[in-house]
Amino acid sequence: NDHVLDYPQSPEEMDWSVHYPAYFEAGASRGEKAVEWADVGCGFGGLLMALAPQFPDTLMLGMEIRVSVTQYVADRIAHARQVEATLPAGAPDARPGGMQNVSVIRANSMKHMPNFFAKGQLSKVFFLFPDPHFKTRKQKARIVTTALLAEYAYVLRPGGICYTVTDVKDLHEWMASHLHKHPLFEYIPTEEMAGDPILEAARTATEEGRKVERNGGDKWVACFRRLPDPEDD
Ligand code: SAM
C-alpha cells in the first residue's frame, strides 16, 4: 500500500542489519559503521550503483517514496550482491566492497529524515533532479524548503555537503536561494568542486541525469557546505 509508510520512532529503533548485513548484527541500530550518505528521491538508483564500488568503505542509502521504484532498486542491489558473492576470489571484474555498502529504503524524506538519522550522522545529502512542482500553489511540495532545510541541516554534520542538481532552471534558483538564505549552509562555488568524482556522478549517473544528457538539456548544479552550529563556536 502506497499510503502506509514504515519508519522507526527514532534512529535507535532502526534495524540496519536488514539493509547492511555485512556491517550490522541482526537487529542492530548501531555497528562498526553508520550510514553517511543519503540520496533523497533516489529514483532507480543509478547514483548509488555508481558510487558504491568507488567508495566501498562508505555506507550509502537511497530514499524513495514510490513502492515499486524502491523495490526495483532493492532488487538491483540484491542482484549485484549476489553476482559479487558468486565471483571467484580475486576476480578482476569484482566490485570493491561487494555492494554490501549500499541499500535503499522506502521513505518520505520530507517527513522522516530525523527518524532514520541521528543529529550530524550524514556527511552527504543528494537532491538530484527532484520533482519540479512547477505550479506556484504546489511549490510548497518541493523537497527543498526553508522548513525542510532545518531537518536536512540537523542530520548533516558540520562540513557535510548538500548536492543539488536539476535540469529545471526555476527549480535550481528555488533550491539555491533557499540554501543561500539558510544560516547553516554555505555555498561552495562549483569551480571549487571541479574534479570531484562525487559531483560528477551526481550530474551524470542517475537515470534522470542520463535522460537529460540524451536530450541535450542543461544541468544546474549547486553545492552547499553545512556550517557548524552557532552554539558550537
Ligand atoms: N534522483 C533520481 C534521478 O536523478 O534519476 C530520481 C529523480 S525523479 C524526477 C524524483 C524522485 O523523487 C522520484 O522517484 C520520486 O518518487 C521521489 N520522491 C519525490 N518525493 C519524495 C519524498 N518526499 N521522499 C522520497 N522520495 C521522493
Side-chain angles (χ1 to χ4, degrees), residues 41-43 63-66 107-110 128-129 131 143 206-209:
C42 68
M63 306 179 88
E64 172 51 55
I65 201 162
R66 284 183 290 169
N108 184 343
S109 304
M110 296 171 75
L128 308 180
F129 305 93
D131 296 319
I143 201 104
T206 73
E207 283 65 21
E208 201 60 35

Side-chain angles (χ1 to χ4, degrees), residues 102-162:
V102 56
S103 192
V104 66
I105 49 170
R106 167 147 191 266
N108 184 343
S109 304
M110 296 171 75
K111 286 194 172 160
H112 298 133
M113 293 292 277
N115 293 83
F116 290 100
F117 308 118
K119 183 173 185 347
Q121 177 172 339
L122 300 178
S123 62
K124 295 189 190 297
V125 178
F126 300 93
F127 299 97
L128 308 180
F129 305 93
D131 296 319
H133 297 293
F134 286 109
K135 295 200 181 109
T136 307
R137 68 184 170 78
K138 289 213 146 184
Q139 285 175 346
K140 60 184 186 305
R142 286 178 168 176
I143 201 104
V144 169
T145 61
T146 305
L148 286 171
L149 282 178
E151 307 229 326
Y152 305 139
Y154 174 85
V155 295
L156 252 188
R157 73 183 59 147
I161 298 180
C162 166

Side-chain angles (χ1 to χ4, degrees), residues 27-41:
S29 67
R30 285 170 198 244
E32 47 173 303
K33 288 180 191 290
V35 173
E36 284 192 67
W37 297 357
D39 183 5
V40 172

